[in-house]
Every structure is written in structure tokens, then in C-alpha cells.
Amino acid sequence: MVLLKESILHEIRKNSGFDLYPINYAVASPRISGMTKHGLVASPSQREGELEIENLDESLMSIAGFDLRVGDEIYLSHNQRAKIPTIHHLQELAKNGELKRLEPDKNGKFTLEHDINGNKIYYIATYERLRLSQRLDLRIDAKSTIGRLGVMCDNKADMSSHTMFTQPIIFTAQPYAFDLHVTPGKSSLIQAILRNKSSPFMTHEQILNGQRVVSFSEKGREALLEEIIREDGLQMTYDTSAAIAAKKVPPCPIDVDAPKRYYKGEDFYKLVKCGQEVSLNPKTLYLMRTIQRINLRNACGILSREAKHTGTGLWGHFAGFIWPGFEGPITMECRSESRRIISHGDPAAFLQLDNLPRELSSQEAYSGSYQKVNPLTPKMFTPLE
């Protein structure tokens, strides 16, 4: 990849409309050393070669991360694997009959069929290609809209191989609730952040003393942080006093690139009124909100799926990143393997926080949708009334 001089980069940045920046997230940093129309090269230590991303679309970047699009190699399997070192290993598994490569339809779209047991596992190579140093930690998770469609995404790439040459990220997508249509080079199922491995998350003390960074409230009053704070994060809890959304039998597949409010939300979800507790049917997707309202003024949030935070057999969320500037309760994507009772205040997810080095402007902050009263549905759905 050709590295451009700083003067040309300055013009590209100036025309982009925002600065690509934070410290802990290496891709968004003043230390970016080169960019082309199809890629970006960043060097967090001002040494070239720390990070290369080919085919990166600058319009898909946020202040603290970037979307990764699906490529044209999508494989179906009924088995999970811990890692797929390279795209060549993926191709070899297909040659050996362990994976089935999918073909697009006449419109160039792939169909990802859902399975309520998670037994349809799609191994996908990204359209973007990455190389990064061993000092960087790449994390991916489902986008919020994709999470609210009940899709679990996981990074399967062996990142040690990404230190040697530029290649796609291999990830899995497991649709548990709806059939999806995706288009190579256009559809984004996942988001990525890059962290310096040596950079810690915010500690107990930093969270308590970081009111300019993040604040919390519970229905109009300041939350008692001591009730939810842990050593390196916050225990978010379920609000069953509000309505929740339960997945319905869908009338059709969902195109992930459909315009906003293209589908009727009531055709895919139904509102359920609750009280002090709610009964969840097994293997059913629900959208619920947290009691706590967060205001990430100058921090980025990462949700954890570890069972110790929510209980065995319960998934509290499918999407995992919360961008700087987000304000409001968190919409949780909830699914249980067995019938389960959730009470008001039960653990929902564990939230880790990354501090940012400076205050964000209003133009840089999160500009997506917030949950108000009813659960926030995917952006291609109309709101539930």
C-alpha cells in the first residue's frame, strides 16, 4: 500500500469532516501516518507499519472504531472452531468438505438462514484486509442493529498471522432469530476497535472520580455507583418495569442494508408488558433495557458475555460496543437456553470502560438512536408502539 505524505493526509482529513482520533483505540489517532482511497495506515508509536487496513471506507468509521464489511467468501458449517488462522485454511476446510461455500443469488446477495439452536454457523471473510503489530489488540462484535436481529458474531482469526501479512479477518455469524440478506462489499455485520494491549480499562477509582468522563442515573436520580461498581467495570441490571419486545415468527428475510423504517417493527417483534419480573421462553430473542442510564461523555464501553455476570445459559447481549457520546439506557438483546424468570434488578451485563484523552465535540459524539420508552428495534424497523 502506498503511504501518502502528511500534507496530502491533512487534506483528506480536512475533507472528511471529523478527526480520527482516540489514544487507546489505535485506528483513531493523530498518529495516523497514511491513507489512500482504499486504505489506511496508522502507526500509534509513529513507526510506519504498526497497522494497515486495505479497502477501509472512511465513511464507516466512528470516533473510536470502524465497520467491517462482508466479503464474497461465505461458508456454512454446523460446527464451531476456536480459530481459523488464514483465509487459505478456510478454503482448505471447504475443499475437504468440512465447510460449504455459499453462492450469491442473481442479485449478488447471500442468504444467512437462522437456526434457533445456533447450528447454522457462517464463516465470513471480511472485504477489508488488515495487518497489525503484536502491540495492538483487535476486538470485533456485532453492530447494535445486527445484535438486535439476534446475530452472534465472533472473531475466528488467528491474529498472530495478521502481524506478517495483510489478510481478511475471519469471523462467524450465527443468526438465532431471523433470516438475513447480505451483499458483499456493502453489508456490515460487525464493528471493530483496536486497542494498545498495554492500555488498561478504567479502574474502580477512575470510574468513581470520572464524572466528566461518564455518569449514571436511575429514573431521574443519580445512581449509587457503589451498588453496581466492581473492580474494573460496572454491573448493569435489567429493568422489568418497562415493556420488553419478544421476537415473532418473521414474515420474510431481512435485508441488512434496507433503509431506515423499511419494515414494520410489529411484524417482527411484539411488546410485552411486565412488572417486577418477566418470564422468558426458551431460545427466544427479547429486547430489554437496563435500569441504569449512562452518559459516556469521554469513554467507550465494552460489554462482557461472561456467564459469571449474567448466569449460566443466559445471554444478556449480542452487540458489545457502546460509543463515546452515548446517553440513555442500554438496550439488551436477551436469550435463554431454558425457561427463565428475570426479576427487576437482576444482572444484565458487565460494562468495561475505556477513558479518552480529551473531551469530544458534539460532531464527534455518538449520533445514533436511543431507547426512550419502548425497546429500540433494529434501524430498518419502524418503532414499536
Side-chain angles (χ1 to χ4, degrees), residues 49-50 91 126 128 144 172 220 256 264 298 320 363 384:
E50 290 283 354
Q91 293 164 348
T126 60
E128 292 78 10
S144 57
T172 53
V256 301
K264 289 184 178 180
N298 298 294
Q363 290 77 22
L384 298 175

Side-chain angles (χ1 to χ4, degrees), residues 67 109 142-151 177-183 186-190 250-269 285 287 333 366 368-369 375-384:
D67 295 353
K109 298 179 183 293
K143 297 175 60 177
S144 57
T145 285
I146 301 304
R148 292 195 291 271
L149 290 172
V151 183
F178 305 105
D179 292 349
L180 306 177
H181 290 323
V182 299
T183 304
K186 179 180 180 181
S187 303
S188 295
L189 302 182
I190 58 174
C252 62
I254 299 165
D255 191 323
V256 301
D257 300 306
K260 288 184 178 180
R261 304 191 176 193
Y262 182 80
Y263 301 102
K264 289 184 178 180
E266 62 190 26
D267 290 341
F268 296 86
Y269 281 103
L285 180 67
L287 303 181
E333 306 91 20
Y366 174 82
S369 301
L376 187 64
T377 54
K379 64 183 180 182
M380 67 282 292
F381 292 175
T382 56
L384 298 175

Side-chain angles (χ1 to χ4, degrees), residues 318-329:
F318 283 66
F321 301 143
I322 304 174
W323 300 125
F326 178 89
E327 183 176 4

Side-chain angles (χ1 to χ4, degrees), residues 73 90 137 170-171 213 307:
E73 292 194 43
L90 194 63
D137 178 23
I170 309 298
F171 72 97
V213 175

